[in-house]
Amino acid sequence: MSGEAQVDWRPLKSVGLMAAIGPLLAKRSEETWRYGLQTGPQHANAIGVIHGGTLTALVDQAMSLIAWEAVERQPVVTVHMDTTFLSSAKPGDFLEVEARLVDRKGSMVFLDAEITSDDALILKASCVMKCVKSRPGEERDNGNSG
């Protein structure tokens, strides 16, 4: 990622798994948000490519943030997710996620997403998320899925 491009991205406050994987980056792109992750050796698997768990956690988080916005910033949880791994990424690659709202039916939200790196398609995903009520005393300031 070039220095000029880095100016567009800002780190998001993360907790739990995303705090350990991240920082998760975000930028506004036209009418939606895009999310990014600068990978390193800590994201690799035993054969030296970015671990599928890193990729699925990243795409799940991005889709949950888009769903969270779609349901007026109510908490959402992942009910079902399909992922297709199309290519691999290596440590040092910048991963960019574009997630899109497909539909909303009541408390259910349907989304699609793609992860790319330098315009190479790495992963495609679709998911169903459900809007849930916060538990008493819980502070929710982002679409933390689980």
Side-chain angles (χ1 to χ4, degrees), residues 70-98:
V71 297
E72 294 80 39
R73 298 183 172 207
Q74 295 297 309
V76 295
V77 294
T78 305
V79 174
H80 178 83
M81 184 167 68
D82 285 320
T83 56
T84 304
F85 298 91
L86 300 163
S87 186
S88 62
K90 62 186 181 317
D93 286 349
F94 183 75
L95 303 177
E96 192 168 336
V97 184
E98 181 177 353

Side-chain angles (χ1 to χ4, degrees), residues 10-142:
R10 65 178 180 88
L12 293 181
K13 177 183 166 189
S14 297
V15 297
L17 179 63
M18 286 314 299
I21 292 173
L24 180 64
L25 305 172
K27 76 173 182 175
R28 191 78 172 153
S29 178
E30 297 175 16
E31 303 268 328
T32 190
W33 287 93
R34 295 179 72 84
Y35 299 96
L37 177 69
Q38 180 61 57
T39 64
Q42 71 276 24
H43 300 109
N45 62 19
I47 62 171
V49 297
I50 300 304
H51 195 288
T54 299
L55 297 170
T56 55
L58 175 61
V59 77
D60 181 58
Q61 185 67 31
M63 288 189 288
S64 74
L65 288 165
I66 298 297
W68 175 71
E69 288 284 346
V71 297
E72 294 80 39
R73 298 183 172 207
Q74 295 297 309
V76 295
V77 294
T78 305
V79 174
H80 178 83
M81 184 167 68
D82 285 320
T83 56
T84 304
F85 298 91
L86 300 163
S87 186
S88 62
K90 62 186 181 317
D93 286 349
F94 183 75
L95 303 177
E96 192 168 336
V97 184
E98 181 177 353
R100 296 166 298 287
L101 177 68
V102 174
D103 200 3
R104 178 178 178 192
K105 301 226 187 274
S107 65
M108 305 301 273
V109 185
F110 302 82
L111 303 108
D112 287 334
E114 296 178 346
I115 297 179
T116 58
S117 179
D118 289 328
D119 296 322
L121 186 56
I122 306 297
L123 178 146
K124 289 181 116 177
S126 62
C127 79
V128 179
M129 296 203 168
K130 181 172 179 54
C131 182
V132 296
K133 295 190 184 323
S134 294
R135 290 181 277 199
E138 265 190 342
E139 178 183 325
R140 299 273 185 161
D141 64 350
N142 65 29

